[in-house]
């Protein structure tokens, strides 16, 4: 065998302790393993092994260098740097929880789509299924994994590298079996359902890890880069002893392939030349090493910019933890605490796990628990605090910062030459500074670097000179002699600030930087400077402002002062008035957020009138912001949610008796799609009657009225937890039909004789979305409160009778809540420009809407095709069995624009419920079926 080819690792004997054989090796620590010339290892346990690399012998073989490289990689990948204890680290393999991603672009649509190109192949996700991060990596040769801060991107990358390296080394605690562990079961999973192991078909690929931020920092400005530039950086990051592995590794990657893991594309400095350099180097590297697979991580917001997209790379986004993932992590954490690290007894661990599970379901903590980083912090804090958790995000960060300061300041033992233990002084003792002074200066430093940081993502780079100056300012007597050793002190300790490259430091996460900046502003520049910064640059300062507001929540007057500073102007009720500038609008939105997050949004009879007037002012602004042309769609949707908390004054969305309807007069319309064999475009003459269709989908508040006034209890109770003014979702066809029956009976004396409340047919729905051949000169609306008056308006020709979307034949992103532009449903009114010709809202996107029409029994093939005849009673049979699906229309907030077309048809079982699925109602007369 060629000595430069890697040889398989021997399987370790169970329970064996690490030992070393060979020359020139040094091993330190409990059960440590060292690699030297001719060394071989036995009994590697990831929980105990530390690999210390000796000087490589000149004649070390490629196989020996490969083993040493893998051992070094294991030590690099197996770390959770925020969670170092005095003696033992929390081990990544013990607590890692498999992550989920959005799958293919159409994976979150309802499972039936007319004209679908093909069925998914073996191993591909079915529509509606979520795909694990590992399975996405298995499918895609080149993948960008996106996610928000603390979503687990880097942890997943490290875990993959650790398991692949562990498999090649024969480690019992980190290998392909661990890598393929099943996705955690959900608490409501069917009894007896078996969890499947994740798909990974590529075996133990050789991993190569790169931190792109460090790579970017190594590049001279405007220097030419290529694949070789990145390769030289990779080798340059290795310990000196591994450098001879340069050529053998390169030959293996070129000849056999491997897995190249590139972390933090979004954390590259913002300078355009630097970004272009890194992107060029990555693309060149992917092109040269064509037999390798590639994984790149990036924050979602950054990668959505067109200039960051990598050619030939698929993109997937990490999803927040589900309930099953949260509980799996908590169980794993406490088992690890008791069994592996011996920090808790078995009974203490069981009690702690139960407490944290209950706490993570609290409304104020459930959103935090869905972020892996914050859930890990919660677990650490509870483990350390005896079971008590803070009740708000601001308090969570406050206690986390204290915990990290403790890590930074703790006495660190060392041993002198005689073997005697010597405790080095803590940071405060070293500086002669109080903890309060240290914290004050760190808060100020966080504010200054946050203010100056070019990027809106990641943490700022803090030069050691700036850090030293801050700590010197905290010191009482400024002991310069001690400060000469400060660099060494900080470099050797993990905590609130950690070394990141030569002479540079960072906070552990941007959220900590934001919290500390908030503390500085709350103490010294509240509320004027804080308000000024947030209105001018909300992307940078929004989180800071909200954390600062939370920090003074026990002094409500200070919060009302902040609200008045942010939103001091009254909204102009004149619809023709000029649109306020961006700073005014952002101030109003942030004022609403500040009130909501500090618990002051709801009306309170005990509130002083001077503060109540401010609250009403902020509420009125949220109404106006729904139609803003300056705010992005996500911010308008947020204004809608804040409006629900402040008390939405739009009675048509909160009270069924004020439900507003749009008039659709009798007459011909165009139905179907050109080129669709099942639903061809045709002129439909069969809707020869007038009807009224709800302006908006039925909302959470309106369905809650139905539930409260009736004995109906088979609905999804969780569906009523959403903001009251949003469309109801997670509703079955039977739920919608029951609502219609109840509302029809409630209005029996208010409707014209022979009229009733119903779900629309798909023909009624499509006409309302597209418009008839003729349209009313102006949209007409009515409610049934005073009694419905039939209309006969003047008409005009429809300028686009075959339009694709309610507003026209060209897709306009800001007219519909689709394609994840918001990321959730939104209250009606956020997409005012998307009204249909009759004045209906949200007929493109937001939520799919049930109709009373039948689809068929085959999900991918409709049985009821066109031409459509409204007189065919079989199409609208309300008594058809549940194995016959019903038509849904309109697309949803996550659906592709094609599904939001007026003519797009889909089918679902009538018992289906989904957070994408709602309904609206029509008023119609007999004898319409």
């Amino acid at each position: 065998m060629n000595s430069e080819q890697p040889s398989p690792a021997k399987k370790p004997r169970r329970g064996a302790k690490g030992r070393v054989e060979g020359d020139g090796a040094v091993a330190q620590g409990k059960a440590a393993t060292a690699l030297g010339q001719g060394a071989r290892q036995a009994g590697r346990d990831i929980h105990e092994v530390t690999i210390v690399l000796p000087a490589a012998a000149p004649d070390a073989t490629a196989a020996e260098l490969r083993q040493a490289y893998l051992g070094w990689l294991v030590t690099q990948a197996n770390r959770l740097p925020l969670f170092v204890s005095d003696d033992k680290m929390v081990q990544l393999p013990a607590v890692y929880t498999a992550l989920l991603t959005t799958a293919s672009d159409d994976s979150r649509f309802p499972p039936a789509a007319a004209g679908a190109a093909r069925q998914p192949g073996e191993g591909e996700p079915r529509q509606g299924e979520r795909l694990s991060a590992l399975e996405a990596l298995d499918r895609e040769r080149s993948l960008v994994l996106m996610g928000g801060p603390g979503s687990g991107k880097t942890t997943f990358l490290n875990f993959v590298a650790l398991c692949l390296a562990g498999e090649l080394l024969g480690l019992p605690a980190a290998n392909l079996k661990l890598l393929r562990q099943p996705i955690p079961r959900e608490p409501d999973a069917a009894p007896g359902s078996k969890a499947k192991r994740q798909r990974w078909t590529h075996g133990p690929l050789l991993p190569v890890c790169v931190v792109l931020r460090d790579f970017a920092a190594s590049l001279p400005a405007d220097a030419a880069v290529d694949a070789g530039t990145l390769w030289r950086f990779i080798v340059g990051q290795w310990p000196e002893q591994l450098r001879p592995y340069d050529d053998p590794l390169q030959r293996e990657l070129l000849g056999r392939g491997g897995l190249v893991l590139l972390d933090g594309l979004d954390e590259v400095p913002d300078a355009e030349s630097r970004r272009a350099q890194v992107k060029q180097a990555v693309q060149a590297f992917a092109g040269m090493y064509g037999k390798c697979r590639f994984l790149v991580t990036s924050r979602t917001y950054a990668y959505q910019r067109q200039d960051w997209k990598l050619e030939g790379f698929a993109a997937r986004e990490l999803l927040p933890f589900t309930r099953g993932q949260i509980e799996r992590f908590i169980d794993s954490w406490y088992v690890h605490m008791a069994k592996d690290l011996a920090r808790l007894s078995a009974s203490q661990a069981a009690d702690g796990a139960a407490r944290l599970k209950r706490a993570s379901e609290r409304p104020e903590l459930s959103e935090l628990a869905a972020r892996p980083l914050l859930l890990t912090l919660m677990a650490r804090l509870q483990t350390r605090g005896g079971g008590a958790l803070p009740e708000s995000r601001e308090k969570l960060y406050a206690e986390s910062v204290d915990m990290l300061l403790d890590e930074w300041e703790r006495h660190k033992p060392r041993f002198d030459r005689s073997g005697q233990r010597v405790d080095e002084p803590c940071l405060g003792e070293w500086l002669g500074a109080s903890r309060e002074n240290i914290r004050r200066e760190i808060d100020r430093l966080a504010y200054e670097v946050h203010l100056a940081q070019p990027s809106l993502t990641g943490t700022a780079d803090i030069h050691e000179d700036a850090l030293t100056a801050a700590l010197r300012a905290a010191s009482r007597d400024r002991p310069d002699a001690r400060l000469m050793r400060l660099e060494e002190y900080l470099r050797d300790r993990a905590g609130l600030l950690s070394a990141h490259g030569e002479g540079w430091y960072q906070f552990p996460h941007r959220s900590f930087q934001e919290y500390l900046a908030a503390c500085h502003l709350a103490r010294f520049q509240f509320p004027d400077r804080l308000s000024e910064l947030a209105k001018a640059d909300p992307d940078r300062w929004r989180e800071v402002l909200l954390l600062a507001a939370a920090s003074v929540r026990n002094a409500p007057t200070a919060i009302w002062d902040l609200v008045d500073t942010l939103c001091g102007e009254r909204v102009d009720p004149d619809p023709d008035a000029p649109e306020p500038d961006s700073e005014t609008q952002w101030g109003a939105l942030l004022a609403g957020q500040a009130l909501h997050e500090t618990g002051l949004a709801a009306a309170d009879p005990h509130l002083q009138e001077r503060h109540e007037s401010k609250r009403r002012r902020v509420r009125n602004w949220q109404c106006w912001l729904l139609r803003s042309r300056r705010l992005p769609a996500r911010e308008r949707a947020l204004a809608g949610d804040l409006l629900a908390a402040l008390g939405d004054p739009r009675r048509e969305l909160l009270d069924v008796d004020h439900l507003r309807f749009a008039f659709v007069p009798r007459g011909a319309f165009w139905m179907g799609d050109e080129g669709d064999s099942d639903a061809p475009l045709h002129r439909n003459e069969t809707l020869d009657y007038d009807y009224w269709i709800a302006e908006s989908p039925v909302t959470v508040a309106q369905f809650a009225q139905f539930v409260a006034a009736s004995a109906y209890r088979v609905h999804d109770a969780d569906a009523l937890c959403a903001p009251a003014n949003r469309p109801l979702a997670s509703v079955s066809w039977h739920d919608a039909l029951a609502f219609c029956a109840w509302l029809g009976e409630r209005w029996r004396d208010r409707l014209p004789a022979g009229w009733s409340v119903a779900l629309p047919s798909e023909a009624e729905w499509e006409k309302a979305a597209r418009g008839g051949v003729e349209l009313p000169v102006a949209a007409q609306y009515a409610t049934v409160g005073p009694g419905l008056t039939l209309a006969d308006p003047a008409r005009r020709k429809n300028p686009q009778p075959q339009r694709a979307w309610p507003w026209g034949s060209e897709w306009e992103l800001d007219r519909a809540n689709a394609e994840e532009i918001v990321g959730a449903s939104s209250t009606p009114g956020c997409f005012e420009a998307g009204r249909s010709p009759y004045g209906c809202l949200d007929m493109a996107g937001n939520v799919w809407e049930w109709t009373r029409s039948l689809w068929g029994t085959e999900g991918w093939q409709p049985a009821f095709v066109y031409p459509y005849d409204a007189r065919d009673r079989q199409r609208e049979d309300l008594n058809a069995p549940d194995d016959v699906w019903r038509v849904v229309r309109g697309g949803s907030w996550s659906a592709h624009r094609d599904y939001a077309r007026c003519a797009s048809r889909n089918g679902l079982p009538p018992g289906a419920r989904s957070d994408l699925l709602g309904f609206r109602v029509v008023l119609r007369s007999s004898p319409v079926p």
Side-chain angles (χ1 to χ4, degrees):
M1 177 182 293
N2 188 326
S3 64
E4 301 218 335
Q5 293 299 319
S7 59
K10 295 181 180 180
K11 187 174 181 180
R13 175 171 54 87
R14 285 188 178 273
K17 294 292 184 180
R19 68 176 187 270
V20 182
E21 297 180 8
D23 298 327
V26 178
Q28 297 176 347
K30 182 179 179 182
T33 302
L35 297 174
Q37 180 182 359
R40 58 187 176 86
Q41 299 179 38
R44 303 180 186 89
D45 184 339
I46 198 70
H47 296 278
E48 296 183 335
V49 170
T50 300
I51 295 180
V52 182
L53 295 170
D59 58 347
T61 66
E64 291 166 345
L65 287 169
R66 188 177 195 261
Q67 293 293 92
Y69 166 76
L70 291 169
W72 172 78
L73 193 62
V74 163
T75 65
Q76 298 300 302
N78 182 36
R79 32 178 164 174
L80 291 168
L82 296 186
F83 309 105
V84 180
S85 71
D86 288 344
D87 51 358
K88 295 182 181 179
M89 283 182 59
V90 173
Q91 300 294 311
L92 178 57
V95 299
Y96 177 79
T97 301
L99 299 169
L100 291 169
T101 71
T102 54
S104 57
D105 290 341
D106 58 355
S107 67
R108 301 183 71 185
F109 304 158
R118 65 179 181 86
Q119 294 278 4
E122 182 180 356
E124 296 183 355
R126 298 282 165 176
Q127 287 195 345
E129 290 181 346
R130 291 172 170 180
L131 193 66
S132 78
L134 180 65
E135 289 167 331
L137 184 60
D138 182 75
R139 286 183 57 205
E140 305 292 349
R141 176 172 290 276
S142 301
L143 175 69
V144 175
L145 186 64
M146 304 181 294
S151 60
K153 303 181 297 295
T154 299
T155 300
F156 173 71
L157 182 147
N158 285 336
F159 183 71
V160 171
L162 176 62
C163 289
L164 294 177
E167 179 74 20
L168 291 167
L169 285 172
L171 298 181
N175 46 41
L176 290 183
K177 181 180 179 181
L178 181 68
L179 182 67
R180 297 183 61 238
Q181 63 183 325
I183 295 292
R185 283 166 47 91
E186 295 303 309
D188 58 356
S193 60
K194 188 176 181 181
K196 292 175 59 178
R197 299 187 71 80
Q198 296 178 76
R199 181 183 176 92
W200 177 255
T201 60
H202 305 289
L205 296 178
L206 185 65
V208 176
C209 298
V210 182
V211 178
L212 289 175
R213 182 190 187 101
D214 294 343
F215 171 59
S218 73
L219 296 174
D222 301 320
V225 296
D226 55 19
T229 311
L230 183 52
W231 179 257
R232 288 187 292 274
F233 172 78
I234 291 170
V235 175
Q237 297 300 292
W238 298 346
E240 188 67 33
Q241 303 93 321
L242 285 179
R243 302 290 171 81
Y245 189 46
D246 180 343
D247 291 340
L249 176 59
Q250 190 170 39
R251 284 196 295 271
E252 182 170 351
L253 295 179
L254 289 169
R256 298 169 56 183
L259 178 62
V260 181
L261 302 142
L262 303 154
D263 190 29
L265 183 65
D266 61 297
E267 294 188 11
V268 171
D270 256 356
E272 290 299 324
S273 60
R274 193 66 58 83
R275 180 184 299 120
Q277 286 176 307
V278 171
K279 182 178 175 182
Q280 180 181 346
V282 171
Q283 294 278 190
F285 201 84
M288 174 172 285
Y289 294 88
K291 292 188 177 181
C292 290
R293 305 182 75 82
F294 287 82
L295 172 64
V296 178
T297 67
S298 174
R299 285 198 187 185
T300 304
Y301 174 83
Y303 193 72
Q304 286 175 341
R305 293 176 51 175
Q306 193 60 38
D307 58 347
W308 259 129
K309 298 291 179 66
L310 294 170
E311 185 177 346
F313 280 69
R316 298 287 183 268
E317 184 174 5
L318 284 172
L319 294 170
F321 268 177
T322 64
R323 189 66 211 165
Q325 289 171 298
I326 290 170
E327 294 192 357
R328 167 70 66 81
F329 173 84
I330 292 171
D331 286 336
S332 299
W333 175 273
Y334 276 98
V335 167
H336 189 44
M337 291 296 109
K339 183 178 178 181
D340 300 320
L341 302 184
R343 297 183 188 169
L344 300 172
S345 68
S347 61
Q348 287 174 325
D351 182 63
R355 285 172 178 261
L356 187 52
K357 287 177 184 178
R358 289 194 299 269
S360 66
E361 292 185 290
R362 286 169 20 201
E364 68 274 14
L365 293 181
S366 59
E367 184 179 346
L368 301 183
R371 289 181 59 181
L373 174 73
L374 296 183
L375 180 60
T376 310
L377 270 174
M378 290 163 65
R380 175 71 188 275
L381 286 171
Q382 180 171 283
T383 304
R384 178 175 163 169
L389 266 184
E391 296 185 356
S392 70
R393 183 179 50 175
E394 182 269 335
K395 289 183 179 178
L396 181 66
Y397 284 127
E399 293 192 15
S400 299
V401 165
D402 284 342
M403 180 183 72
L404 293 172
L405 270 175
D406 287 345
E407 292 287 343
W408 210 24
E409 286 199 297
R410 65 188 172 90
H411 290 275
K412 182 177 181 180
R414 63 179 178 84
F415 295 88
D416 61 20
R417 293 182 180 181
S418 65
Q420 296 297 311
R421 173 174 170 144
V422 178
D423 284 336
E424 291 185 348
C426 68
L427 183 61
E429 293 171 349
W430 195 317
L431 292 172
S434 69
R435 184 183 178 106
E436 180 183 358
N437 286 351
I438 293 173
R439 175 61 192 278
R440 183 194 65 228
E441 293 303 323
I442 292 297
D443 289 351
R444 180 185 57 77
L445 179 62
Y447 162 72
E448 291 175 350
V449 299
H450 195 71
L451 179 67
Q453 185 180 357
S455 173
L456 294 176
T457 61
T459 51
D461 288 322
I462 303 172
H463 194 270
E464 63 183 3
D465 291 345
L467 178 55
T468 300
L471 295 175
R472 182 181 291 114
S475 175
R476 289 190 300 271
D477 53 2
R478 303 191 177 189
D480 294 336
R482 290 178 179 177
L483 287 172
M484 291 175 62
R485 295 185 58 201
L486 184 58
E487 179 184 352
E488 176 187 342
Y489 180 98
L490 296 172
R491 186 184 63 240
D492 292 343
R493 294 168 183 255
L496 191 54
L497 280 160
S498 299
H500 189 82
E502 190 67 29
W504 293 93
Y505 295 84
Q506 288 181 338
F507 294 104
H509 193 270
R510 184 177 179 87
S511 54
F512 289 98
Q513 178 177 302
E514 290 168 330
Y515 169 73
L516 295 167
C519 291
H520 172 80
L521 287 166
R523 184 171 183 176
F524 295 108
Q525 302 185 56
F526 188 97
D528 296 342
R529 176 61 171 161
L530 176 63
S531 174
E532 174 190 330
L533 289 167
K535 290 194 291 185
D537 192 356
D539 288 340
R540 183 184 304 274
W541 294 103
R542 185 206 311 243
E543 185 70 9
V544 174
L545 180 138
L546 297 176
L547 289 168
S551 72
V552 298
R553 67 188 307 159
N554 292 331
T557 300
I559 296 172
W560 289 114
D561 287 345
L562 174 64
V563 166
D564 203 28
T565 307
L566 287 167
C567 184
E569 301 177 22
R570 295 183 181 276
V571 66
D572 191 334
D574 183 358
D576 297 324
E579 181 166 4
D581 61 36
S582 293
E583 288 196 15
T584 300
Q585 295 188 38
W586 275 109
L589 183 69
L590 293 171
Q593 276 195 277
L595 287 176
H596 179 57
E597 296 214 4
T598 54
L600 296 175
D604 185 336
H606 302 293
L607 186 64
Q608 297 178 60
E609 175 55 32
R610 65 190 180 97
H611 295 326
E612 171 59 19
S613 66
K614 298 172 188 176
R615 196 194 69 82
R616 289 195 300 267
R617 183 196 314 156
V618 173
R619 180 201 64 188
N620 293 340
W621 264 105
Q622 308 313 305
C623 281
W624 192 95
L625 293 176
L626 296 180
R627 64 178 190 268
S628 168
R629 293 189 298 270
R630 296 181 184 271
L631 291 184
R634 281 181 185 254
E635 308 305 341
R636 299 198 305 271
L638 172 61
D641 287 349
L642 294 173
L643 191 56
L646 289 157
D648 197 330
R650 298 175 297 168
R651 298 181 70 184
E652 67 271 18
L653 296 181
L654 302 183
D655 186 342
V656 292
D657 293 330
H658 290 83
L659 189 62
R660 197 154 75 154
F661 291 87
F663 180 64
V664 182
R666 69 190 67 197
F669 74 103
W670 286 93
M671 188 174 187
D673 250 342
E674 191 170 358
D676 188 334
S677 58
D678 294 323
L681 183 67
H682 64 287
R683 182 180 170 109
N684 190 312
E685 307 273 358
T686 64
L687 293 189
D688 55 356
Y689 54 88
D690 300 333
Y691 61 96
W692 296 79
I693 189 166
E695 179 187 26
S696 306
V698 171
T699 64
V700 170
Q702 290 162 344
F703 197 83
Q705 273 184 279
F706 157 57
V707 170
S710 69
Y712 196 76
R713 295 294 182 268
V714 297
H715 64 288
D716 180 0
D718 291 340
L720 300 181
C721 296
N725 59 6
R726 280 203 205 177
L728 178 75
S730 295
V731 57
S732 72
W733 183 82
H734 297 294
D735 297 334
L737 210 62
F739 177 89
C740 291
W742 168 80
L743 192 57
E745 181 63 24
R746 181 184 181 95
W747 288 350
R748 182 172 54 179
D749 297 333
R750 306 182 199 179
L751 294 174
W755 282 62
S756 62
V757 181
L759 292 174
S761 69
E762 62 170 325
E764 291 166 349
W765 193 98
E766 186 168 336
K767 182 179 180 181
R770 182 177 257 169
V773 173
E774 293 184 325
L775 299 171
V777 171
Q780 289 196 308
Y781 302 98
T783 67
V784 299
L788 190 69
T789 302
L790 301 183
D792 187 16
R795 304 191 187 187
R796 60 185 174 89
K797 288 189 177 296
N798 186 345
Q800 298 185 69
Q802 298 177 19
R803 66 187 67 202
W805 292 280
W807 56 87
S809 293
E810 297 295 327
W811 175 256
E812 296 180 47
L813 187 64
D814 211 41
R815 290 182 185 261
N817 183 2
E819 297 190 337
E820 304 270 2
I821 188 175
V822 170
S825 65
S826 55
T827 188
C830 294
F831 295 86
E832 182 76 23
R835 283 186 183 269
S836 79
Y838 295 113
C840 296
L841 290 166
D842 295 336
M843 299 201 82
N846 214 359
V847 291
W848 290 93
E849 298 180 15
W850 287 110
T851 72
R852 66 179 188 271
S853 300
L854 294 171
W855 170 271
T857 57
E858 297 293 331
W860 293 88
Q861 179 62 46
F864 293 87
V865 296
Y866 291 0
Y868 184 97
D869 187 349
R871 294 162 297 198
D872 180 359
R873 292 179 179 268
Q874 288 187 340
R875 300 189 76 114
E876 321 293 348
D877 183 3
L878 299 183
N879 296 314
D882 277 5
D883 63 345
V884 184
W885 292 14
R886 297 284 170 174
V887 172
V888 293
R889 289 293 200 121
S892 75
W893 54 266
S894 75
H896 187 270
R897 65 191 66 177
D898 286 349
Y899 289 84
R901 290 177 296 108
C902 298
S904 179
R905 310 173 72 213
N906 287 274
L908 281 175
R913 290 189 173 98
S914 163
D915 63 351
L916 310 176
L917 187 58
F919 71 101
R920 75 176 74 212
V921 299
V922 295
L923 304 178
R924 60 182 181 84
S925 64
S926 300
V928 177

